[in-house]
Amino acid sequence: MQNGANSEARHSNIIRAKTKDDRSLKGDFLITGSMDIPFLAITIALLTIGLIMLFSASYPYAYARQNYNSYYFINRQLIFAAAGIVVMFIMSKINYKWLKVGALILVPITFILLAIVLIIPATVVSDTGEAFKRWIQIGPIQFQPSDVAKFTLILVFAIYINKFYSKMKTLLYGIAFPLIILGVFCIFIVLEHHLSCTILMFLLGAAMMYVGGTNRYLYAFGLAVLIIAVVLVVLNPEIIPSQYARERIISWTDKKFSPDDMRWQTNNSLYAIGSGGFTGVGLGNSKQKYLYVSEPQNDFIFSIVCEELGFLGAAAIIILFGLLVYRGIKIAQKATDRFGALLVIGVVSQIGIQVILNILVVTDTIPNTGIALPFFSYGGTAMLMLLFEVGVVLSVSRKASQKRV
């Protein structure tokens, strides 16, 4: 008995064993405690800066491609941001434990949406003829089911790890079952030809497995296998069935490789970053956003941030993201139950992983995978889901009755 207690105590102190029962839905539907003000403040700061930079980066492209309407992207994003803030505050008042019940509805809906997007006509077809089936169009609104799938994965893993926490060090419960769950999600995303989201979800699941108590030796072995597999793919890109993904990797390793200007976006991103220098050229003064960095409002918006705000501005934004993740970890440590702690870790892990991958892509450190920068990149459903997830974190902080700072 003593050995079991010591073993559990050695688990991550983020989701250490709680004294309260975290398996039941005790308490009211609404929470009356105070929310974590620092986490909220950092969120609002990132959202505000993101909206400003989105408008600055997008208006030339919007003017050229959206019937001379320079405000096309910012107007739509402001609507979703406003709706997202409302959703965030509503979710922050709801007892997050009821998400266990909500999972019974959310999980099947998520997989239905992921299946629907595979059978409807593709909205984007690459030059190689590959169909990118990622979006569902409902009237004027276009959304990606993968945005919903990210939170669904977090919720499923939080429920699973919370239930089998004492068995997470075993091969079956700590590796096999989690990988099966993760594999089901990733298979659907792979079929959409959405490589970046597949990578994100795999890393997200791996992060939650690590924090959830997966045996460290088994985890290290799996990580080593993954690294070897990645190296083999990079050195032998011809083994990838997708020609589009294959050319992405070749264009990363061979800087002169440019069929149909495959490196156009990446090269101009580097020009933008280099032009910014230490202090930047000034807000609104970017040259690369004038149709050099293609679709600068999306995945490569950080390059425009670097050009206009320079190293100082980019570093400040990275620090803000770091503080958001750090504060999220502090909230998880103070959570009253393991399920809440896992939800928070899942949300801040998603944000942190997306930021890291986006910056690595923009700086040509890894191949161009097309991954969005949270709070900055254009995308209505992504913004709504992100702010909903922030609301979940704030709900956990309310339950923990943290003091206002």
Side-chain angles (χ1 to χ4, degrees):
M1 187 64 134
Q2 184 67 33
N3 290 336
N6 291 337
S7 176
E8 187 155 333
R10 285 194 294 269
H11 280 307
S12 170
N13 62 357
I14 296 176
I15 58 167
R16 61 189 182 278
K18 309 295 182 178
T19 57
K20 295 184 180 180
D21 179 15
D22 56 2
R23 294 184 180 181
S24 61
L25 288 173
K26 292 183 178 181
D28 297 328
F29 181 74
L30 298 179
I31 303 176
T32 58
S34 59
M35 71 176 68
D36 189 77
I37 299 302
F39 190 86
L40 174 64
I42 297 170
T43 298
I44 297 301
L46 284 169
L47 178 61
T48 302
I49 298 171
L51 290 171
I52 292 172
M53 289 310 307
L54 174 65
F55 176 58
S56 179
S58 68
Y59 70 80
Y61 187 83
Y63 182 83
R65 302 295 174 85
Q66 298 295 333
N67 297 321
Y68 310 108
N69 180 7
S70 299
Y71 300 93
Y72 177 83
F73 295 112
I74 187 61
N75 283 344
R76 293 169 66 89
Q77 194 77 341
L78 281 171
I79 293 172
F80 282 102
I85 290 175
V86 174
V87 170
M88 177 185 73
F89 280 111
I90 291 175
M91 184 60 227
S92 75
K93 291 290 293 181
I94 297 174
N95 189 339
Y96 60 88
K97 292 186 178 182
W98 285 93
L99 287 171
K100 295 179 183 179
V101 177
L104 299 175
I105 301 174
L106 181 60
V107 172
I109 287 178
T110 298
F111 283 111
I112 289 172
L113 291 175
L114 289 174
I116 289 175
V117 79
L118 294 176
I119 61 178
I120 61 177
T123 53
V124 177
V125 179
S126 71
D127 294 333
T128 62
E130 294 178 74
F132 293 81
K133 297 185 176 183
R134 304 176 185 175
W135 298 270
I136 294 178
Q137 187 83 33
I138 302 178
I141 299 176
Q142 187 182 64
F143 73 96
Q144 295 190 66
S146 58
D147 290 327
V148 179
K150 295 172 191 174
F151 178 72
T152 304
L153 178 67
I154 293 172
L155 180 57
V156 169
F157 263 74
I159 293 173
Y160 174 84
I161 295 172
N162 181 56
K163 183 175 181 179
F164 298 107
Y165 182 67
S166 61
K167 300 179 180 180
M168 283 297 291
K169 282 190 173 295
T170 66
L171 177 62
L172 187 62
Y173 287 89
I175 297 289
F177 288 157
L179 285 181
I180 290 173
I181 295 171
L182 186 56
V184 172
F185 278 90
C186 288
I187 287 172
F188 273 94
I189 306 301
V190 166
L191 292 175
E192 297 179 6
H193 288 170
H194 201 171
L195 179 60
S196 60
C197 187
T198 304
I199 295 172
L200 170 62
M201 294 190 75
F202 182 86
L203 293 176
L204 177 57
M208 295 195 71
M209 288 169 60
Y210 180 83
V211 175
T214 293
N215 184 283
R216 302 299 187 258
Y217 296 105
L218 293 175
Y219 193 92
F221 176 77
L223 184 62
V225 172
L226 177 63
I227 292 174
I228 293 173
V230 170
V231 172
L232 288 175
V233 169
V234 171
L235 295 178
N236 303 279
E238 65 275 4
I239 66 178
I240 302 177
S242 169
Q243 182 180 344
Y244 182 79
R246 184 164 59 246
E247 290 185 348
R248 287 286 187 178
I249 293 177
I250 295 175
S251 67
W252 176 64
T253 56
D254 181 2
K255 307 306 179 184
K256 297 180 180 179
F257 180 79
S258 186
D260 299 321
D261 293 320
M262 181 65 75
R263 284 193 55 86
W264 172 269
Q265 190 177 38
T266 301
N267 286 339
N268 280 283
S269 170
L270 296 176
Y271 297 152
I273 295 171
S275 300
F278 192 70
T279 58
V281 298
L283 182 63
N285 294 329
S286 164
K287 294 181 175 63
Q288 294 303 117
K289 66 186 178 186
Y290 287 92
L291 306 186
Y292 290 101
V293 175
S294 55
E295 299 195 32
Q297 77 281 1
N298 285 330
D299 309 330
F300 278 72
I301 190 172
F302 191 72
S303 65
I304 307 303
V305 171
C306 292
E307 183 180 8
E308 296 191 347
L309 304 184
F311 174 81
L312 284 178
I317 290 170
I318 293 173
I319 289 173
L320 279 176
F321 276 115
L323 290 173
L324 188 74
V325 172
Y326 171 78
R327 192 63 192 179
I329 293 174
K330 299 299 289 185
I331 292 172
Q333 289 175 329
K334 296 179 181 179
T336 60
D337 65 287
R338 190 179 300 120
F339 175 67
L342 285 164
L343 284 176
V344 175
I345 289 300
V347 171
V348 297
S349 294
Q350 177 192 325
I351 295 173
I353 292 170
Q354 277 196 228
V355 171
I356 292 172
L357 291 179
N358 178 271
I359 293 175
L360 290 178
V361 166
V362 168
T363 56
D364 200 28
T365 308
I366 62 175
N368 185 351
T369 58
I371 196 161
L373 183 64
F375 300 110
F376 284 72
S377 296
Y378 174 72
T381 51
M383 178 68 77
L384 271 176
M385 286 303 304
L386 180 60
L387 290 174
F388 167 80
E389 292 174 10
V390 169
V392 173
V393 176
L394 294 175
S395 173
V396 176
S397 73
R398 284 186 188 272
K399 190 70 175 177
S401 299
Q402 294 182 334
K403 296 181 180 179
R404 295 181 184 274
V405 179

